[in-house]
Amino acid sequence: MYSKFIKFLSIVTLLLISISTARSEGFTYSIGNFDHSDDKKKAAMFQLDYDSDRKLFGSPIGDFKPVIGFLLTEDKAKYGYAGVRIDYKLANNSILISPSFTPGVYGKGDGKDLGHAIEFKSQVRAALNLSPTANIGISYSHISNASLGNKNPGANNYSIGFQKNF
């Protein structure tokens, strides 16, 4: 089942890349493993983010920019979110490090019960620029309800992604 799901997500990713509109600043298409640290509930996942270059506000640690997205797992769990990220460009702008924080709404489907519908995702993404309009990277994230629910098992996730700017 895992390999069929990955094949399906790969096809969806290619289709999304090909039909993206010229208005978009940057979409990141990712596939990976949801809750890799729980052998009983880990699942393949697909994640789509839209990263805007619009500065929301500046701070001593960097400019906060909006990010919005969703993820789906092979177990029909889904998580929609919106939040902020900061971009750090290194090595003559060839490497991008982007930590983000995105609160959102989670539905477990047939997947892991995270204890509450409101969840918070902390993520860090490291990417290598392939061209001025594309990069490839890896991400690690943790989703948690911050003890809003009676239980808070959390989910640790990793993925590989491709970002295309238009």
Side-chain angles (χ1 to χ4, degrees), residues 41-52:
K41 287 296 182 179
K42 67 182 172 183
M45 75 173 193
F46 170 77
Q47 182 173 314
L48 175 65
D49 290 338
Y50 171 70
D51 298 317
S52 174

Side-chain angles (χ1 to χ4, degrees), residues 87-97 127-135 165:
D87 294 333
Y88 297 104
K89 297 176 181 177
L90 310 170
N92 251 358
N93 293 331
S94 62
I95 297 174
L96 180 67
I97 306 294
L128 176 65
N129 287 330
L130 301 173
S131 74
T133 62
N135 66 50
N165 300 315

Side-chain angles (χ1 to χ4, degrees), residues 149-161:
N150 291 335
K151 63 181 186 172
N152 184 19
N156 298 307
N157 320 297
Y158 63 83
S159 63
I160 184 167

Side-chain angles (χ1 to χ4, degrees), residues 131-152:
S131 74
T133 62
N135 66 50
I136 189 166
I138 56 171
S139 298
Y140 190 85
S141 66
H142 177 75
I143 299 174
S144 168
N145 67 37
S147 297
L148 291 175
N150 291 335
K151 63 181 186 172
N152 184 19

Side-chain angles (χ1 to χ4, degrees), residues 53-68:
D53 275 337
R54 194 185 94 188
K55 176 180 161 182
L56 292 174
F57 57 91
S59 78
I61 61 170
D63 293 338
F64 284 81
K65 300 174 183 179
V67 60
I68 186 168

Side-chain angles (χ1 to χ4, degrees), residues 58-124:
S59 78
I61 61 170
D63 293 338
F64 284 81
K65 300 174 183 179
V67 60
I68 186 168
F70 68 91
L71 70 79
L72 303 169
T73 73
E74 68 179 315
D75 295 332
K76 301 177 187 134
K78 46 205 154 296
Y79 179 60
Y81 50 87
V84 294
R85 77 177 199 291
I86 299 176
D87 294 333
Y88 297 104
K89 297 176 181 177
L90 310 170
N92 251 358
N93 293 331
S94 62
I95 297 174
L96 180 67
I97 306 294
S98 299
S100 63
F101 177 73
T102 52
V105 179
Y106 177 77
K108 73 175 187 148
D110 295 328
K112 186 169 186 175
D113 182 0
L114 293 181
H116 203 275
I118 304 298
E119 299 286 333
F120 304 92
K121 179 168 70 82
S122 302
Q123 177 175 292
V124 64

